[in-house]
Amino acid sequence: MIVSSSARIAAGASALLLLCLLLPLLVLSSAASAAPSADRVAEGDARPGEPMPPRPAARVDPSYLHRPGTQVRLPPGVAEPPELSALSWLVADAATGDVLAAHDAHRRLPPASTLKALFALTVLPRLAQDARHTVREEELTGLGPGSSLVGVKEDVTYEVADLWRGVFLHSGNDAVRVLAGMNGGWQRTAREMEAVARSLGARDTKVVSPDGYDAPGQVSSAYDLAVFGREGLRDPDFARYCALPYATFPAGGWEYGIRSTNRLLTGEDGVRRYPGILGVKNGYTSKAGHTLIAAARRGGRTLVVSVMNPQSGGFRAVYEEARDLLDWGFGPGAKVRPVGSLLPPGPRALPRSAAPSPGASVGASASAGGAGRASNAASAASAGPSTAPSAGPSAGATQGAATAGTRPTAPRPAPEPTAAPGAGGPAPAAQPGAGQGRPPVQAGAAGTPPSPVLPVLLVGSACVAAGALWLSRRRAGAG
């Protein structure tokens, strides 16, 4: 009896000891899973793994940019934007899309070769840069008198990249003609350009001649041109071409040098190169005057400006007025409240049955200005009647497209998330740091379910203790 009592006491003590060790661990684990973390309390108890929606941004009345004259919202003591002679101009933050100031932003004017920025947005994603194409005589027909030419010749084989350098640097209308022919024809390309412009929220632009040559009814606006410049910088190929000051162009067995006609980029012809310039596109026709889209980066900020038809100062005026806008935007303009946005109107609210799943990215669903939308819009436009007559180098377009192949579109970062906009107006930009890019909660972090190991250990220990007690009683009975 003494032995059996000792065995029972030992078994009971062992079970009690195991319970005392494991029960606090289980309680602590359950409490940690039930208590919300500081981050979750601060952010409204979000579910793990979900990105937080951006905090509401101050709404901007889209009607500001439709008003005549200069529009700017100056805090006390902040300098006004410079007085310019241009008929229309705009300066905006390229990252957020905030319009810092503008003058007659939606006034419809001839764009000249700045329209080539929209041409590149439309056609660049469709043609492989290393594809080779032999130019035919009919592809160079239809060039307007006095067109700017880079020197494309028939029966010469060019890489697509050569033709794009001719477009961006030398504003070659002949290179545009060939690329448009490879894209399916002159009129088809014009329709696709308009579709891309609409998808980006640029509704002032009417395309008649994709190279920007003066044509009846062809117009754009400072607002639309700034939209094209901002969107172009998001495409690595566009950004690379528009920043080139110098290049070479093939001439069938030899090549010659070409330079950009954007003097802010080259620092030539009496115009100083702008520090941090990223390029984009300039233009001139007798009807449009001088036009320019320019972008520059300084101190971690990127600005885009558009200037249309300065009324004094000669050909240098468009560059000097763009310089003044950039200087103001990097200086006093950093403190103003926006008067509009370059971002397109946000998507309409989805019905409950079509709402995205909780784990879907809020930023991705809120942004409507990405490359995918523009590409889809162009594809939709190109799906029109194939029997429509096409001007320019439509002959042989099928062969050209087959030769060019398809350039895989590089992934672009999604536009900055925006607060839900009102109907019909540009979406206001989200405030910096408003939950953008918040990493999902990692496994094992606060707020994740407790590990099943502790309950298993607890149950197993209890079983072992019960078994030991049963065994000790059996031995005592046998004794």
Side-chain angles (χ1 to χ4, degrees):
M1 294 297 295
I2 296 175
V3 175
S4 62
S5 299
S6 300
R8 284 197 296 271
I9 293 172
S14 299
L16 183 61
L17 179 61
L18 287 171
L19 286 172
C20 291
L21 291 175
L22 296 175
L23 187 58
L25 294 177
L26 180 61
V27 172
L28 290 175
S29 175
S30 301
S33 65
S37 66
D39 286 342
R40 293 174 65 195
V41 171
E43 296 294 347
D45 196 23
R47 283 171 286 185
E50 283 191 34
M52 290 301 301
R55 295 184 180 93
R59 289 188 176 273
V60 180
D61 185 350
S63 68
Y64 274 112
L65 296 181
H66 288 275
R67 299 173 185 174
T70 299
Q71 304 302 320
V72 62
R73 302 170 73 189
L74 294 171
V78 175
E80 295 182 356
E83 290 285 341
L84 306 180
S85 70
L87 296 180
S88 179
W89 55 262
L90 183 146
V91 53
D93 187 301
T96 64
D98 288 345
V99 177
L100 308 182
H103 180 85
D104 289 349
H106 287 286
R107 181 174 179 177
R108 297 184 176 185
L109 298 167
S113 286
T114 50
L115 194 64
K116 290 183 172 75
L118 176 59
F119 173 77
L121 283 177
T122 304
V123 180
L124 253 176
R126 293 169 164 264
L127 304 177
Q129 301 302 294
D130 58 354
R132 300 181 66 81
H133 178 77
T134 301
V135 176
R136 296 178 300 279
E137 180 181 3
E138 58 268 22
E139 292 180 291
L140 297 176
T141 59
L143 289 167
S147 289
S148 57
L149 306 175
V150 69
V152 176
K153 303 295 183 185
E154 61 183 89
D155 298 327
V156 175
T157 300
Y158 299 90
E159 281 195 356
V160 167
D162 294 326
L163 297 172
W164 281 118
R165 283 187 283 270
V167 170
F168 276 92
L169 276 72
H170 214 269
S171 205
N173 289 3
D174 47 357
V176 172
R177 284 274 170 176
V178 175
L179 290 168
M182 296 170 69
N183 185 58
W186 199 243
Q187 291 185 356
R188 175 175 176 172
T189 299
R191 292 196 305 271
E192 291 175 355
M193 290 170 64
E194 288 191 353
V196 170
R198 299 296 180 271
S199 74
L200 296 172
R203 301 186 176 277
D204 301 322
T205 299
K206 171 66 177 176
V207 180
V208 179
S209 183
D211 55 8
Y213 191 83
D214 285 338
Q218 179 157 278
V219 291
S220 189
S221 68
Y223 178 89
D224 286 13
L225 295 183
V227 168
F228 304 151
R230 177 182 183 268
E231 185 69 14
L233 292 176
R234 294 153 51 82
D235 185 311
D237 289 328
F238 185 111
R240 183 177 69 255
Y241 287 127
C242 79
L244 281 175
Y246 304 99
T248 57
F249 195 79
W254 63 287
E255 54 187 28
Y256 52 90
I258 57 175
R259 68 171 183 173
S260 174
T261 54
N262 182 351
R263 276 75 168 185
L264 285 182
L265 184 62
T266 61
E268 296 180 348
D269 299 326
V271 178
R272 290 178 293 114
R273 187 179 191 275
Y274 192 82
I277 188 70
L278 302 176
V280 185
K281 192 70 189 76
N282 62 308
Y284 171 79
T285 66
S286 57
K287 185 176 180 180
H290 292 278
T291 59
L292 176 66
I293 311 168
R297 184 167 181 82
R298 182 190 300 175
R301 295 179 66 219
T302 299
L303 298 182
V304 59
V305 303
S306 54
V307 180
M308 302 189 75
N309 200 354
Q311 298 298 288
S312 63
F315 80 92
R316 297 185 183 90
V318 73
Y319 303 106
E320 299 305 332
E321 295 191 4
R323 181 192 306 276
D324 291 343
L325 284 179
L326 289 169
D327 286 344
W328 179 85
F330 285 122
K335 302 176 182 179
V336 303
R337 292 181 295 168
V339 293
S341 175
L342 297 182
L343 303 182
R348 295 180 179 177
L350 294 175
R352 184 177 297 273
S353 60
S357 61
S361 170
V362 175
S365 63
S367 63
R373 183 191 60 255
S375 179
N376 291 341
S379 300
S382 65
S386 59
T387 57
S390 177
S394 58
T398 303
Q399 179 182 352
T403 305
T406 302
R407 180 177 77 94
T409 304
R412 304 183 193 175
E416 290 72 22
T418 61
Q431 297 293 340
Q436 302 176 28
R438 177 180 296 276
V441 179
Q442 300 297 321
T448 56
S451 171
V453 176
L454 290 179
V456 171
L457 287 177
L458 180 61
V459 174
S461 300
C463 292
V464 171
L469 183 60
W470 175 81
L471 183 60
S472 65
R473 287 182 174 179
R474 183 176 181 182
R475 288 178 178 178

